[in-house]
Amino acid sequence: MSIQFLGMIGHRLASEIIPASGPLFDKDYIARFARAHEEAGFDRILVGYWSDQPDGFLVTAHAAAHTSKLKFLLAHRPGFVAPTLAARKLASLDHLTDGRLAVHIISGGSDVEQRRDGDFLNKAERYARSDEFLTVLRQSLESSQPYDHKGNFYQAEQAFSAIKPVQNKLPVYFGGSSQEAIDVAARHADVFALWGEPLKGAEETVRNVQAAAAQHGRKIDFNISFRPIIGKTEKEAWERAEHIRERAEKQLQASGFAFGKPKPQSVGAQRLLAAANEGDRLDKVLWTGVAKLVQGGYNSTALVGTADQVSDALLEYYRLGIHSVLIRGFDPLNDAVEYGQELIPLTREKVAALNTADKRSA
């Protein structure tokens, strides 16, 4: 199987080291950012979800209008749109993008974040709701006849969506590292998304998710997220990483970020923080400098080195059965362009060579 590369776009220029600039919904930047990913050879880009930011459906639609081959992964939190309506919205967007859409279901790892949009369920209840949401969503996307549904979170009578996705099946990605997340993913997900853990932790998660899916007679693919920092030499790459850490710390201090805040609720964040507490540099090129600063709060671990070294690291994750990787930089647009110059084609070459060698030895 070939390796898939995902990127991530935002609605304006901003990162841990770049103060936000331009209009909050910067149409020109969204278009340029999407085209940069397409030209760099990315397969798909993630459009994220935040409780105080522009609507991802519209960001995706605008980005799709300025690209032709690039696919999209739209993050969506259950609980704020009925699954019957979400199905019609997703199917409509899939038509608008000519069949280039997938959905990334995020149950929510922070009570504070969820409550901003009026959701006061606890974590276990959120995952139970996601389970039911995906059941109803799939029925609406695939059923040829009206159906009734009566569950704990949703009820519908004679529900039906006249519009279906262009694709035979809309791909479903699912995020979360808790046992509740794994249980839901085992029943519904096509792709299970991990944050950038060390090899040992990633291997453990892959094994656990595969075992859970097998109990339902299913197989799941995997995606993992990193923030590559590339240099012409190894020394240059690590110097660049330290510069990023310094700039990120200053920007966080200026924003009033609460350093040393309580242990994060998200199990994924807890796992990243635990890895960061083991040291700055793990495995060969995994760097936890920014992950430690943000308390593991999101996909913040980096792979640091030359393009050759980072591609070798990605190959090790590929060997674990993780055939998709999301990469985004601390200088978002410029890094996406840089990844397309060497890292992406070099990694594809190494994966192709590995697969050829495996076939010959089979």
Side-chain angles (χ1 to χ4, degrees):
M1 179 183 292
S2 62
I3 189 168
Q4 298 288 302
F5 278 97
L6 281 69
M8 181 175 179
I9 66 167
H11 41 81
R12 68 171 169 179
L13 178 60
S15 79
E16 296 90 341
I17 64 172
I18 301 175
S21 62
L24 182 62
F25 193 93
D26 191 333
K27 294 184 293 183
D28 291 338
Y29 179 73
I30 292 169
R32 286 191 295 114
F33 206 1
R35 284 196 299 267
H37 280 86
E38 184 165 76
E39 292 166 3
F42 283 82
D43 298 286
R44 192 183 294 275
I45 51 175
L46 171 66
V47 177
Y49 185 109
W50 297 270
S51 61
D52 60 351
Q53 298 300 307
D55 177 60
F57 278 84
L58 297 180
V59 173
T60 301
H62 184 68
H66 291 84
T67 55
S68 59
K69 297 181 295 183
L70 187 67
K71 296 180 181 180
F72 297 88
L73 178 59
L74 173 62
H76 183 79
R77 287 183 190 168
F80 309 109
V81 177
T84 50
L85 174 56
R88 301 196 301 277
K89 288 168 64 69
L90 289 167
S92 299
L93 188 56
D94 194 48
H95 277 262
L96 193 63
T97 63
D98 298 318
R100 292 184 280 155
L101 184 66
V103 63
H104 182 35
I105 299 298
I106 303 173
S107 300
S110 166
D111 290 346
V112 172
E113 177 78 2
Q114 294 296 120
R115 289 172 182 176
R116 287 174 181 160
D117 273 333
D119 179 21
F120 285 80
L121 297 185
N122 63 38
K123 180 183 174 183
E125 291 169 332
R126 291 198 293 267
Y127 277 108
R129 179 178 60 193
S130 292
D131 192 0
E132 187 177 335
F133 177 92
L134 283 165
T135 297
V136 178
L137 182 76
R138 187 68 74 192
Q139 279 188 284
S140 287
L141 290 174
E142 299 178 359
S143 177
S144 60
Q145 300 292 330
Y147 66 91
D148 295 339
H149 176 83
K150 187 173 183 179
N152 294 324
F153 300 94
Y154 303 105
Q155 296 187 39
E157 293 182 359
Q158 294 298 286
F160 180 72
S161 175
I163 186 167
K164 308 295 184 187
V166 173
Q167 306 166 76
N168 291 331
K169 182 180 179 182
L170 189 75
V172 172
Y173 289 59
F174 197 86
S177 297
S178 65
Q179 189 58 51
E180 295 101 326
I182 291 174
D183 291 342
V184 176
R187 288 186 286 273
H188 298 284
D190 300 301
V191 181
F192 187 87
L194 302 81
W195 285 345
E197 297 187 44
L199 286 163
K200 182 179 179 181
E203 182 178 20
E204 176 189 32
T205 298
V206 167
R207 185 170 60 249
N208 290 341
V209 173
Q210 286 176 333
Q215 293 179 2
H216 298 276
R218 304 183 69 247
K219 292 184 178 181
I220 295 180
D221 293 326
F222 296 88
N223 175 269
I224 193 164
S225 299
F226 292 108
R227 312 287 292 276
I229 301 172
I230 308 295
K232 293 180 181 178
T233 65
E234 182 178 1
K235 182 175 182 290
E236 178 185 300
W238 284 106
E239 288 175 348
R240 187 175 174 188
E242 289 303 327
H243 181 62
I244 287 171
R245 188 203 323 242
E246 291 172 7
R247 290 181 61 184
E249 186 170 11
K250 289 179 181 178
Q251 186 161 305
L252 286 169
Q253 288 174 338
S255 69
F257 181 80
F259 290 96
K261 61 185 179 180
K263 183 179 179 181
Q265 289 181 289
S266 163
V267 174
Q270 292 171 19
R271 289 173 69 98
L272 284 196
L273 185 57
N277 287 333
E278 291 179 15
D280 270 8
R281 302 187 187 187
L282 304 173
D283 295 334
K284 296 178 181 178
V285 300
L286 182 66
W287 183 61
T288 64
V290 172
K292 184 70 174 287
L293 283 178
V294 300
Q295 299 289 289
Y298 49 85
N299 60 313
S300 46
T301 49
L303 298 175
V304 182
T306 64
D308 188 49
Q309 290 173 320
V310 173
S311 65
D312 280 344
L314 292 176
L315 199 62
E316 291 302 309
Y317 287 95
Y318 181 88
R319 292 176 188 272
L320 298 180
I322 302 173
H323 298 150
S324 173
V325 58
L326 188 153
I327 54 174
R328 65 186 183 102
F330 292 97
D331 184 356
L333 196 155
N334 291 328
D335 283 346
V337 173
E338 181 183 55
Y339 297 155
Q341 293 170 349
E342 189 173 4
L343 178 61
I344 290 176
L346 182 59
T347 308
R348 291 194 194 279
E349 289 176 11
K350 291 182 178 181
V351 167
L354 176 66
N355 289 332
T356 298
D358 287 344
K359 288 180 182 179
R360 287 175 179 170
S361 61

